[in-house]
Amino acid sequence: MGDEMVKHDALQIIGMFQVLPRLVVFDLDYTLWPFYCECRSKRDMPSLYPQAKGILYALKEKGIDMAIASRSPTSDIAKTFIDKLSLKPMFVAQEIFSSWTHKTDHFQRIHTRTGIPFNSMLFFDDEDRNIQSVSKMGVTSILVGNGVNLGALRQGLTEFSQNASKSEKNKQRWQKYSQNPNSSEKKDED
């Protein structure tokens, strides 16, 4: 399936959802591309997973911002590969650095740079430990097995919509409570 076909299918999937993330964040190694940067040379010509580029183009066309959060110990190679693949202009933030924090530092920097709340972000990564830690920040996080693909996109947007719906219901409950703080208290009848 070519990039244009994947983009078309991704646009259809995105069109099924009324609530969309303001920012989609991608890991690099084994999420956008099928290798670890530290095992490659800057001279190599990298390639993405088969559906990754079409999905990136679809998100861009829909006006959804994108960012990178990668714990690569060879950020110079990662950045070179992003340039070689002509992807640099697609991302509003690129946080690529080695870290022991399971990407929470990356997301703090992305939030500071973009001003986008964590609960308005969708994240794709191939490591469960990153999914767990970033989810605790309020980011909808999706574990990918064989890179980002249309199935992962659909799952991510579905979970994002469900999380947004839960958040809205909680907000409405809180507004009702704050308007009538005694509503849950038993009134004394003397």
Side-chain angles (χ1 to χ4, degrees):
M1 195 183 300
D3 293 341
E4 281 301 315
M5 189 75 153
V6 173
K7 177 184 169 187
H8 175 266
D9 290 354
L11 286 168
Q12 284 191 315
I13 291 168
I14 294 166
M16 294 169 23
F17 296 90
Q18 291 182 326
V19 179
L20 295 170
R22 289 178 52 198
L23 180 69
V24 178
V25 182
F26 296 94
D27 173 43
L28 293 174
D29 297 347
Y30 289 98
T31 300
L32 282 183
W33 50 52
F35 53 83
Y36 288 117
C37 285
E38 57 263 35
C39 298
R40 305 293 286 272
S41 158
K42 283 184 179 181
R43 293 184 302 276
D44 293 339
M45 186 58 201
S47 61
L48 297 171
Y49 276 106
Q51 297 181 345
K53 200 168 220 174
I55 290 168
L56 295 173
Y57 286 141
L59 291 168
K60 189 74 170 172
E61 185 170 306
K62 282 294 188 178
I64 298 170
D65 285 338
M66 292 174 283
I68 294 170
S70 177
R71 289 185 352 199
S72 176
T74 52
S75 62
D76 56 326
I77 295 174
K79 289 173 182 174
T80 298
F81 286 177
I82 289 166
D83 284 341
K84 283 186 174 190
L85 292 164
S86 304
L87 298 178
K88 189 174 183 177
M90 297 191 97
F91 299 105
V92 296
Q94 293 183 44
E95 294 300 333
I96 306 169
F97 57 89
S98 189
S99 164
W100 295 103
T101 62
H102 309 309
K103 301 213 176 152
T104 53
D105 285 349
H106 295 75
F107 274 83
Q108 289 292 350
R109 289 182 184 194
I110 289 169
H111 169 68
T112 299
R113 184 174 302 244
T114 64
I116 295 174
F118 296 123
N119 66 356
S120 295
M121 297 181 190
L122 172 59
F123 174 50
F124 295 95
D125 197 299
D126 67 311
E127 291 187 38
D128 191 53
R129 62 185 176 159
N130 295 327
I131 298 298
Q132 297 300 319
S133 62
V134 173
S135 291
K136 289 176 184 168
M137 299 174 81
V139 177
T140 300
S141 303
I142 304 300
L143 182 67
V144 297
N146 289 313
V148 73
N149 57 39
L150 292 168
L153 178 66
R154 181 180 285 110
Q155 178 190 356
L157 293 174
T158 299
E159 289 187 25
F160 182 85
S161 289
Q162 291 167 348
N163 291 343
S165 177
K166 286 179 202 168
S167 178
E168 186 58 34
K169 285 177 185 170
N170 287 338
K171 186 175 162 186
Q172 289 170 356
R173 281 191 205 118
W174 175 248
Q175 285 173 340
K176 280 183 187 175
Y177 175 77
S178 62
Q179 289 169 1
N180 187 4
N182 297 326
S183 62
S184 62
E185 295 177 8
K186 205 172 184 180
K187 293 185 178 182
D188 291 334
E189 293 181 27
D190 291 319

